[in-house]
Every structure is written in structure tokens, then in C-alpha cells.
Amino acid sequence: MVFNRIETDRQSSQPLVINWTSISVFVAVHALALLAPWFFSWSALGVTIFLHWLLGSIGICLGYHRLLTHRSLQVPKALEYAIALIGAAALQGGPIFWVAGHRRHHIYTEDLDKDPYSAKRGFWWSHMGWLLYKRPEFFDYESNRQFAPDLARDGFYRWLDRYFLLLQIPLAIGLYLLGGWSFVIYGVFVRTVLLWHSTWLINSASHITGYRTHDSDDNSRNLWWAAILTYGEGWHNNHHAYPNVAKAGWQWWEIDMTWWVILVLQRMGLAQRIVLPPAA
């Protein structure tokens, strides 16, 4: 009997092989985050909140998602690289991996085998289960470069995609020098776990519950509490209907903090060719 082979859900016949390395990493990071009560301080909690915003809103939402994946705006190349570095420090994979996976998600939304985190496989799969199995078509560099050729042509992004894990070392050292192990536990591990699950809610919860403004050809939803946790990404139905638009929240009540940052960059002359929602 082969113990590391598990069949997929009943709707797909593609076999799945458990990636024990990935599982070990996720378990270790979550376990270290559970040390938080023994290292609590208000300043450490503040570090967590600040890094959740910096790495989440600026690095992932603005950088990896709206800037690199959808090219919803343009910024000077030096600034683009800096924002990409912040995204890589979020510990959600290198830029080529992340961008390729999300572009696949939009091309093959909710397809059982072609969408890496298809919501049709259920909440658990789309939330984080897809990360726990060996699927070369989604995790191998040669496969991903086909969906992110613009990044794969750039030596900086190839380097960052390969060595993004190393960014945790200077980050952890800096946090330790600022506040000791309390800052490390909260700034690296607690922050990572909170940001992981915040981001993953867009793949899972925002394809299950919420309201639909646009008749997109999928089950994407606008989910207010997910939007708060992800600085605007939870307005997911708006995004799936018009994926290249830089603004996720369209109505006055649809708070989109990442869009506010884009407006600031525009006022400073650093953001151009911003893709706006179509006229009513």
C-alpha cells in the first residue's frame, strides 16, 4: 500500500501526493505562533499589525496582485522592485510562483484541475489544502514561467523567486535587535500565520458567501469582512468581473485601503496608467 498517495475529491480523478515538506513547514510556523501568549507585549502586537499591513497591503495586494499579476498600474522600476521585495517577505512564495498561480486562477476560475485553488473542491482545498500536495504543474518553475513570462525574463524576479525565503533572516535579525524574541515571535510567526489565513480567505470564503454586483462567470463574491482583513481584496466579485482594474472597492462603502495607497502614489507622480472601473 502507498501511504503518501491520496485520491482527489469525487469530482476529479487526478491523484494527489502529499508534500510532507510543505506540511512540516506549515505545522512548524503555526506551532511557533502558538508561543505568542508567553512573549506578549503591546509593542510586539503593534509590530504584528504594522507588518500585516506592510507585507499584506503593500507587498501582496498592491505588489504581487494588482501591480505584477494584473498590471493595473505602472510605477518606476526601482519602486516596483522595492514593492516586490516587500511582497516576497510576506512568505507566500516568490513572485513568479505567485503571479503564475493567480493568473491561472483567472484563466481557469474554479476548474477542478486547472485552477490551483478551485473553490469547487471545497473550502478546505481552496483555503490551504492545495498547498499541501505535490503538483508539478503549479509548483515547478518551468511550468510557472509560462504564465509569468514577463517576470521570468527579468533577472531580479528570477533571483527573488528562488531566494525569497532568505528575506526572513534579515527581517528576524532586525526584529530581534529592536525587541528581542517577543518581536521575532510576533513579527515573523504570528504575522505570517495571520497574513496567510487572511490572504487564503479570498480564495475560499470569497467564493462561497457574500453578495454579487456583477454577473461574472464564476461564484466570486464581495465579502465585507474579508475586504477589511485583506485591505480591499475581499471585493472579489468586482475583481473577477474586471480583473485588470486597480480599484477593488467600487461603492462608497466598499473600503479598499490598498486603493488609497495607489491614490497617494498617483498624487506623488509615482503611479501612472492606472486602470479604472468602466463608466456606469
Side-chain angles (χ1 to χ4, degrees):
M1 180 180 295
V2 180
F3 288 97
N4 67 340
R5 177 160 293 229
I6 298 178
E7 293 302 314
T8 62
D9 56 89
R10 297 178 182 178
Q11 295 174 298
S12 175
S13 60
Q14 182 178 343
L16 294 175
V17 178
I18 292 177
N19 188 331
W20 290 108
T21 300
S22 294
I23 289 178
S24 299
V25 170
F26 286 124
V27 169
V29 173
H30 281 78
L32 288 167
L34 291 175
L35 295 174
W38 290 273
F39 290 88
F40 176 80
S41 71
W42 289 109
S43 56
L45 180 61
V47 166
T48 300
I49 295 171
F50 171 74
L51 289 178
H52 188 281
W53 166 79
L54 178 66
L55 305 185
S57 180
I58 306 303
I60 296 298
C61 302
L62 173 57
Y64 271 20
H65 189 204
R66 305 187 198 190
L67 180 59
L68 297 185
T69 301
H70 296 293
R71 296 298 181 182
S72 301
L73 67 154
Q74 288 186 1
V75 299
K77 185 59 71 173
L79 179 59
E80 178 182 307
Y81 286 166
I83 294 173
L85 275 170
I86 296 172
L91 208 58
Q92 295 189 14
I96 295 174
F97 160 77
W98 203 102
V99 168
H102 195 69
R103 287 176 180 175
R104 280 191 177 98
H105 172 66
H106 278 275
I107 295 171
Y108 306 112
T109 305
E110 297 176 355
D111 183 275
L112 286 171
D113 293 320
K114 295 180 180 180
D115 181 352
Y117 27 89
S118 173
K120 287 187 177 179
R121 288 178 178 262
F123 179 91
W124 165 252
W125 175 270
S126 58
H127 190 71
M128 69 175 295
W130 68 280
L131 291 163
L132 307 181
Y133 298 93
K134 295 180 179 180
R135 302 189 72 185
E137 68 272 30
F138 299 143
F139 293 100
D140 285 3
Y141 173 79
E142 289 302 322
S143 177
N144 285 328
R145 68 192 296 267
Q146 298 177 35
F147 286 84
D150 50 333
L151 300 187
R153 288 191 294 266
D154 190 313
F156 173 78
Y157 287 122
R158 292 195 302 272
W159 174 85
L160 192 58
D161 197 70
R162 176 173 293 186
Y163 298 112
F164 73 95
L165 283 172
L166 297 180
L167 296 177
Q168 299 306 306
I169 297 174
L171 177 59
I173 292 174
L175 289 170
Y176 180 80
L177 294 175
L178 287 173
W181 288 112
S182 176
F183 275 30
V184 174
I185 294 297
Y186 275 83
V188 175
F189 300 105
V190 175
R191 175 268 306 171
T192 296
V193 169
L194 292 177
L195 188 53
W196 274 347
H197 288 282
S198 299
T199 303
W200 296 341
L201 282 170
I202 305 305
N203 303 333
S204 55
S206 293
H207 278 265
I208 295 175
T209 185
Y211 65 90
R212 289 170 58 82
T213 301
H214 307 281
D215 190 21
S216 58
D217 190 22
D218 52 55
N219 199 41
S220 58
R221 306 288 175 134
N222 290 326
L223 190 57
W224 69 269
W225 54 267
I228 292 175
L229 292 173
T230 57
Y231 310 100
E233 301 296 89
W235 309 118
H236 206 47
N237 178 244
N238 295 344
H239 175 61
H240 267 266
Y242 297 91
N244 294 328
V245 169
K247 186 178 184 181
W250 290 22
Q251 303 298 329
W252 66 266
W253 66 83
E254 293 177 343
I255 297 174
D256 183 357
M257 292 180 65
T258 303
W259 171 248
W260 299 347
V261 176
I262 294 174
L263 289 178
V264 171
L265 292 176
Q266 183 185 41
R267 290 288 182 89
M268 296 173 65
L270 295 174
Q272 299 178 342
R273 297 188 180 182
I274 300 171
V275 182
L276 299 174

